[in-house]
């Protein structure tokens, strides 16, 4: 059974940085298309960033140029480096993954829909103050 465990959330001021981690157990991260979704209070869930199993990435327009998604095969971990954070980035960030071979663009389009991804973590809270 694949499990995804997030860490790295916290509270920072606007302009600051955080790095989220998602540790994978039960399968190799290299074989999964993985990404992050987020949901702020009163907001709709949205796909943030995806890294597919071919190494391609896709980002939501709101985070392009500020967030970077990456994978470390040795530690079987997915990362999300978030720079120049804004109050609108506040929310629960959840790691998701799927094994059917979606491309990054495909996954970004559907990952916010429950059931679209095969595996879902419990989430980590990110709070950005102005």
């Amino acid at each position: 059974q694949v499990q995804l465990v997030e860490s790295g959330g916290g509270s920072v001021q606007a302009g600051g940085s955080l790095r989220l981690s998602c540790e994978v157990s039960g399968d190799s991260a290299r074989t999964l298309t993985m990404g992050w979704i987020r949901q702020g209070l009163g907001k709709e869930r949205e796909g943030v960033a995806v890294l597919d199993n071919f190494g391609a990435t896709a980002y939501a327009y709101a985070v392009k140029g500020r967030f970077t998604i990456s994978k470390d095969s040795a530690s079987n971990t997915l990362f999300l480096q978030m720079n120049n954070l804004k109050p609108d980035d506040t929310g629960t960030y959840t790691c998701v993954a799927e094994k059917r071979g979606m491309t990054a663009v495909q996954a970004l389009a559907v990952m916010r829909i429950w059931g679209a991804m095969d595996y879902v973590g419990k989430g980590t809270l990110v709070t950005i103050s102005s």
Side-chain angles (χ1 to χ4, degrees):
Q1 179 71 15
V2 174
Q3 288 192 317
L4 309 176
V5 178
E6 304 96 335
S7 60
S11 298
V12 298
Q13 288 193 321
S17 298
L18 284 172
R19 188 174 82 152
L20 305 183
S21 300
C22 172
E23 188 171 349
V24 181
S25 62
D27 205 337
S28 169
R30 281 185 297 181
T31 68
L32 301 171
T33 288
M34 300 187 67
W36 297 89
I37 58 175
R38 70 182 180 186
Q39 187 166 21
L41 193 62
K43 295 183 178 181
E44 289 190 357
R45 193 179 308 116
E46 62 175 335
V48 175
V50 178
L51 175 58
D52 69 23
N53 61 341
F54 299 104
T57 59
Y59 296 92
Y61 180 79
V63 307
K64 267 184 185 176
R66 300 188 296 121
F67 290 12
T68 303
I69 191 169
S70 62
K71 236 182 241 184
D72 178 57
S73 297
S75 63
N76 219 27
T77 302
L78 180 76
F79 299 102
L80 185 67
Q81 178 66 43
M82 307 187 295
N83 298 329
N84 191 21
L85 284 159
K86 304 176 181 181
D88 277 351
D89 294 319
T90 294
T92 296
Y93 284 68
T94 303
C95 181
V96 296
E98 70 89 40
K99 206 171 169 57
R100 288 159 283 163
M102 281 190 203
T103 66
V105 171
Q106 289 171 334
L108 188 67
V110 302
M111 64 198 299
R112 65 181 180 85
I113 302 169
W114 282 128
M117 306 299 277
D118 298 319
Y119 311 112
V120 181
K122 294 189 185 302
T124 185
L125 181 62
V126 170
T127 304
I128 312 302
S129 57
S130 55

